[in-house]
């Protein structure tokens, strides 16, 4: 989304020629391959556990660490690999998002009028709020499973569910409210 915003602000007339179905398809393939390469080893390591303490996961979905904690074996390798995967995914995503927003802000500061700059910032603000809420809750969830021994299990569940459900739920609401407010402003038709 950050790259999409950058193209929409910096090169609006070339948007349709840059953001093509071919580019979107390539990006989807890259992200699917990244997920398989990074998450695949976690699944292989889980399958190698000889036994589990129970077959009931104290979680609302089959999260990696929730399953690993059930193993009747040493889970250090799984825990380290899980953290490595989480921070690789989050780190790379955040790096690209920050790079995109840096380029967006540079482009915005070169816009000729103050109203154009404000409009561009107004376009980016909801996206920044959604991705910051997603990544902050995700990092808390990943770290609390490993280092939050005194945190009750229901807190893990709430944060894990929240980082998966809240941002996708907020995104259309934020944009819908923003669009409704923009349509109600005086001087707009």
């Amino acid at each position: 989304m950050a790259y999409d915003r950058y193209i929409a602000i910096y090169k609006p007339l070339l948007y349709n020629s840059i953001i093509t179905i071919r580019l979107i398809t390539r990006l989807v393939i890259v992200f699917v391959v990244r997920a398989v390469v990074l998450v695949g080893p976690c699944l292989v390591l889980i399958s190698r556990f000889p036994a589990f303490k129970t077959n009931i996961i104290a979680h609302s979905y089959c999260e990696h660490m929730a399953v690993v904690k059930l193993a009747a074996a040493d889970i250090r390798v799984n825990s380290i690999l899980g953290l490595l995967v989480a921070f690789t995914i989050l780190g790379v995503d955040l790096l690209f998002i920050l790079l995109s927003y840096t380029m967006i802000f540079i482009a915005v500061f070169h816009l000729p009028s103050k109203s154009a700059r404000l409009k561009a910032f107004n376009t980016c603000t909801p996206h920044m709020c959604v991705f910051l809420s997603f990544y902050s809750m995700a990092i808390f969830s990943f770290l609390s499973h490993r280092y939050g021994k005194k945190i009750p299990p229901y807190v893990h569940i709430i944060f894990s569910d929240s980082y998966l459900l809240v941002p996708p739920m907020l995104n259309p609401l934020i944009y819908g409210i923003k669009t409704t407010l923009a349509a109600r402003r005086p001087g707009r038709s």
Side-chain angles (χ1 to χ4, degrees):
M1 282 181 72
Y3 181 69
D4 178 71
R5 298 275 183 267
Y6 170 71
I7 297 300
I9 290 170
Y10 189 66
K11 299 179 180 180
L13 298 176
L14 298 175
Y15 181 85
N16 289 333
S17 63
I18 295 172
I19 306 295
T20 62
I21 296 297
R22 185 175 180 178
L23 175 68
I24 293 169
T25 304
R26 286 181 177 176
L27 288 173
V28 166
I29 290 169
V30 166
F31 288 125
V32 168
V33 168
R34 176 182 85 156
V36 169
V37 167
L38 291 174
V39 177
C42 294
L43 298 174
V44 170
L45 285 175
I46 287 175
S47 70
R48 299 182 86 187
F49 284 133
F52 291 91
K53 298 171 193 168
T54 180
N55 63 351
I56 300 171
I57 297 173
H59 213 282
S60 58
Y61 63 95
C62 193
E63 187 177 48
H64 175 252
M65 279 310 293
V67 174
V68 168
K69 285 182 175 180
L70 299 177
D74 185 19
I75 63 168
R76 285 182 290 188
V77 174
N78 286 75
S79 183
I80 291 168
L81 181 63
L83 269 180
L84 179 70
V85 167
F87 282 114
T88 300
I89 290 171
L90 290 175
V92 170
D93 288 355
L94 283 174
L95 178 71
F96 281 120
I97 290 169
L98 291 174
L99 178 66
S100 294
Y101 272 106
T102 301
M103 293 167 57
I104 287 170
F105 290 143
I106 290 170
V108 166
F109 287 126
H110 286 96
L111 292 174
S113 70
K114 183 179 179 181
S115 65
R117 288 191 294 270
L118 287 174
K119 184 177 179 182
F121 280 124
N122 192 25
T123 302
C124 297
T125 304
H127 178 241
M128 290 178 11
C129 292
V130 169
F131 90 77
L132 284 174
S133 68
F134 174 78
Y135 285 112
S136 60
M137 286 189 278
I139 289 170
F140 176 81
S141 178
F142 297 146
L143 293 177
S144 67
H145 268 298
R146 288 153 181 90
Y147 305 112
K149 304 291 184 211
K150 294 183 181 181
I151 297 174
Y154 68 88
V155 173
H156 292 290
I157 294 168
I158 290 170
F159 269 94
S160 295
D161 290 347
S162 295
Y163 92 84
L164 291 175
L165 297 175
V166 172
M169 181 184 70
L170 284 180
N171 210 12
L173 289 174
I174 289 171
Y175 286 107
I177 291 169
K178 187 177 151 225
T179 303
T180 303
L181 292 175
R184 289 184 184 172
R185 286 188 193 139
R188 299 219 179 219
S189 50

